[in-house]
């Protein structure tokens, strides 16, 4: 009974060591994923701050301006459409300058205006140009003001570089994590190489031998993913107390759920694959090679 107890403790210790190593690797991947999602959300928010202003013709009525505003609001490129009627424009002018143009000119000389931000998918030089052309063709539109094309191109260029950098970093971390997890699993199975060889000698098939190792390590990987996801979610929940109040709003609980689920599935998949590779290697070894 005593030897069996020692083996059980040894197995538990091996799985614990594997679990801790896998958890740390998955946690690193999770942090990269959270930063990537937050950066993508912030980039999208910046792109959707680009604003286009539309000045209506002097002869246009407020009703016609509202019709145009409703049409633009239904367009896929428009976000946060705001209509400024003649009277609102006059009041804004008076508030900003203290001058009553209606008293000076005898009539309200201001035209209705329309302002809206651009959807991220259209926040490019060509996209803005296409929006300007489509709105300029609307009857009653006098002028369309758009952001500077150089500023748009610079912003998109910086966002593309940032995205590429995160993709490369994520790819590198994924490779490093797989190598670390693979080595950890391989070392845990290495201690069972004589057991594997003995099972081969009594006629066990390769799949029969591999199945318990793959299942056990997949479970360890899944548990490690749960732990890593829990730690990551907890860090995100308390991020406001560490001077990062907007991090949760940038990532959101939906994306956090996706990341946590990916860590669980990824941990199980990577550990299972590592166990498959490690057991396959030992199954192909001769008895003499087991001592190396």
């Amino acid at each position: 009974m005593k030897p069996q107890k020692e083996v059980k403790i040894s197995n538990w210790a091996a799985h614990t060591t594997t679990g801790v190593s896998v958890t740390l690797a998955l946690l690193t991947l999770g942090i990269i994923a959270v930063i990537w999602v937050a950066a993508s959300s912030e980039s999208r928010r910046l792109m959707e701050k680009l604003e286009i202003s539309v000045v209506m013709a002097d002869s246009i009525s407020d009703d016609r301006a509202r019709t145009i505003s409703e049409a633009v609001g239904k367009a896929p490129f428009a976000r946060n459409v705001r209509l400024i009627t003649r009277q609102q424009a006059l009041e804004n002018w008076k508030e900003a300058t203290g001058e009553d143009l209606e008293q000076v000119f005898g009539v309200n000389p201001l035209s209705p205006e329309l302002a809206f931000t651009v959807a991220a998918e259209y926040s490019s030089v060509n996209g803005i140009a296409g929006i300007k052309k489509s709105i300029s063709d609307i009857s009653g539109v006098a002028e369309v003001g758009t952001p500077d094309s150089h500023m748009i191109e610079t912003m998109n260029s910086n966002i593309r570089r940032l995205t590429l950098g995160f993709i490369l970093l994520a790819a590198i971390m994924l490779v490093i994590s797989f190598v670390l997890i693979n080595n950890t699993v391989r070392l845990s199975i290495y201690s069972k190489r004589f057991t594997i060889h003995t099972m081969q000698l009594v006629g066990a098939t390769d799949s029969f031998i591999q199945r318990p190792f793959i299942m056990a390590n997949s479970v360890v990987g899944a548990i490690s993913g749960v732990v890593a996801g829990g730690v990551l979610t907890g860090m995100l929940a308390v991020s406001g107390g560490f001077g990062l109040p907007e991090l949760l709003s940038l990532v959101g609980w939906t994306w956090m759920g996706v990341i946590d689920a990916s860590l669980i599935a990824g941990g199980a998949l990577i550990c299972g694959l590592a166990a498959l590779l490690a057991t396959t290697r030992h199954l192909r070894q001769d008895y003499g090679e087991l001592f190396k």
Side-chain angles (χ1 to χ4, degrees):
M1 296 298 296
K2 186 175 180 181
Q4 293 179 354
K5 184 177 180 181
E6 291 177 350
V7 171
K8 184 176 181 181
I9 294 174
S10 178
N11 287 338
W12 180 87
H15 287 316
T16 301
T17 302
T18 302
V20 171
S21 300
V22 173
T23 299
L24 292 176
L26 292 176
L27 183 60
T28 302
L29 285 177
I31 292 173
I32 296 297
V34 167
I35 295 175
W36 189 351
V37 171
S40 299
S41 298
E42 181 62 19
S43 299
R44 186 179 184 87
R45 190 165 69 175
L46 287 175
M47 287 190 290
E48 293 191 344
K49 283 186 176 181
L50 295 177
E51 188 171 87
I52 292 179
S53 59
V54 181
V55 180
M56 309 294 180
D58 294 337
S59 59
I60 198 172
S61 65
D62 284 344
D63 289 339
R64 173 57 181 162
R66 288 191 184 90
T67 301
I68 295 175
S69 174
E70 292 172 359
V72 171
K74 295 177 181 178
F77 54 74
R79 298 285 186 274
N80 306 316
V81 180
R82 294 179 290 109
L83 173 64
I84 303 173
T85 63
R86 291 176 183 275
Q87 188 60 35
Q88 289 173 333
L90 182 64
E91 291 174 359
N92 291 342
W93 180 277
K94 187 186 297 185
E95 183 179 349
T97 65
E99 183 180 16
D100 190 342
L101 294 179
E102 196 169 21
Q103 289 184 350
V104 174
F105 296 97
V107 294
N108 184 354
L110 300 178
S111 303
E113 296 181 12
L114 184 67
F116 63 91
T117 55
V118 180
E121 294 79 11
Y122 295 85
S123 299
S124 63
V125 175
N126 292 334
I128 296 293
I131 294 172
K132 181 176 182 178
K133 183 179 184 307
S134 64
I135 294 181
S136 298
D137 292 339
I138 298 175
S139 175
V141 172
E143 183 181 354
V144 180
T146 58
D148 180 67
S149 59
H150 177 70
M151 181 198 71
I152 297 173
E153 186 58 40
T154 300
M155 180 187 70
N156 288 331
S157 177
N158 291 335
I159 290 174
R160 283 194 297 269
R161 283 198 290 267
L162 179 65
T163 302
L164 179 60
F166 270 117
I167 291 175
L168 292 176
L169 178 61
I172 292 171
M173 290 306 303
L174 183 61
V175 172
I176 292 175
S177 297
F178 178 79
V179 171
L180 291 175
I181 293 173
N182 180 61
N183 288 338
T184 301
V185 173
R186 187 175 65 180
L187 287 174
S188 69
I189 295 178
Y190 177 78
S191 62
K192 302 291 188 294
R193 64 194 185 281
F194 290 107
T195 302
I196 293 174
H197 184 72
T198 301
M199 294 175 71
Q200 279 184 300
L201 293 178
V202 298
T205 62
D206 289 354
S207 60
F208 180 83
I209 297 172
Q210 290 175 320
R211 190 178 301 116
F213 290 101
I214 295 174
M215 292 297 296
N217 282 278
S218 295
V219 171
V220 171
I223 294 174
S224 299
V226 171
V227 175
V231 172
L232 198 61
T233 302
M235 292 169 60
L236 186 67
V238 301
S239 60
F242 293 91
L244 299 171
E246 295 185 357
L247 184 59
L248 180 57
S249 63
L250 288 174
V251 178
W253 291 117
T254 299
W255 268 111
M256 197 64 238
V258 172
I259 293 173
D260 288 347
S262 299
L263 291 178
I264 296 171
L269 180 63
I270 294 175
C271 286
L273 179 60
L276 174 63
L277 296 176
T279 52
T280 299
R281 177 174 178 271
H282 291 306
L283 286 170
R284 293 176 179 175
Q285 285 181 321
D286 295 329
Y287 181 73
E289 295 177 323
L290 300 179
F291 294 92
K292 296 181 181 179

